[in-house]
Amino acid sequence: NARMLKTLLANVDGMVYRRRLDDDWTMQFVSGGCVRVTGHHPGDLLFNNVVTYGELVIPEDRLWVREAIACAVAEGRSFDLEYRIAHADGGIRWVWERGSGVTDDHGKLIALEGLVQDITERRQYQVRIENQANYDSLTGLANRSLLQDRLQQALLTAASSNRRIAVAFVDLDRFKFINDSLGH
């Protein structure tokens, strides 16, 4: 049974954990996948030997992550979050965490259990796709699609605050010649 569990955990693409409900997010169990996700060995995170998981979460994300988890657990549901952590190599990584609360025999919440996966590559890909969809690749300027989106937002904001907006249109003489000779 122990061998089977060890094999299963080794094949999970991410870090399986059990952590306390304290301010440091003290890890009581962490799988070997934490090396891939955080850059730290399991022994570094277990019972805060070297670093706490709470310290790894980027300060800008720490409060809202803690609040989202607390809210989900209080409502008796699982949580599903994307946030940033500091990797041991000094870089910032995006992670996806899914977990739920663990209760004792009396229904008292005693821990959190879940999975944390590194999704940095996927997030970078999403940013590139969004950039290509909204900006001209040659000039880096906003394209028509982004202009329409921002104009719509400005119109809604102006209408809700009973204000007006102005749009300036700039025309460049003989720009058609540049497009025809060099391409759009």
Side-chain angles (χ1 to χ4, degrees), residues 13-152:
D13 183 30
M15 175 180 81
V16 177
Y17 70 85
R18 178 184 178 113
R19 74 177 181 236
R20 292 181 183 157
L21 299 169
D22 59 9
D23 290 340
D24 294 326
W25 299 355
T26 302
M27 293 293 184
Q28 295 175 300
F29 171 83
V30 62
S31 69
C34 75
V35 175
R36 289 189 301 272
V37 175
T38 69
H40 293 280
H41 291 282
D44 295 349
L45 289 170
L46 279 176
F47 301 102
N48 306 327
N49 284 338
V50 175
V51 64
T52 71
Y53 190 74
E55 291 170 337
L56 296 182
V57 178
I58 297 299
E60 296 84 17
D61 292 352
R62 201 173 292 149
L63 181 62
W64 77 260
V65 168
R66 186 180 300 275
E67 288 174 352
I69 291 172
C71 181
V73 170
E75 294 172 2
R77 58 183 174 80
S78 62
F79 50 90
D80 190 337
L81 308 167
E82 293 182 8
Y83 57 91
R84 297 166 295 169
I85 63 168
H87 194 271
D89 67 9
I92 302 296
R93 303 287 168 88
W94 277 95
V95 295
W96 169 75
E97 180 177 353
R98 181 171 181 86
S100 59
V102 178
T103 56
D104 64 13
D105 293 338
H106 305 290
K108 181 183 176 198
L109 189 64
I110 57 171
L112 299 174
E113 291 179 343
L115 171 70
V116 179
Q117 289 181 295
D118 185 337
I119 60 165
T120 304
E121 196 172 298
R122 181 180 63 119
R123 289 292 293 226
Q124 290 170 341
Y125 179 73
Q126 284 176 326
V127 167
R128 279 196 306 270
I129 294 296
E130 288 174 16
N131 200 12
Q132 290 172 353
N134 293 310
Y135 294 91
D136 179 77
S137 61
L138 178 64
T139 65
L141 297 173
N143 64 16
R144 186 173 292 157
S145 173
L146 186 60
L147 171 66
Q148 285 177 316
D149 178 64
R150 294 304 190 270
L151 189 55
Q152 190 68 23

Side-chain angles (χ1 to χ4, degrees), residues 145-164:
S145 173
L146 186 60
L147 171 66
Q148 285 177 316
D149 178 64
R150 294 304 190 270
L151 189 55
Q152 190 68 23
Q153 287 178 19
L155 287 169
L156 291 171
T157 302
S160 68
S161 60
N162 203 23
R163 293 186 176 186
R164 296 180 185 202

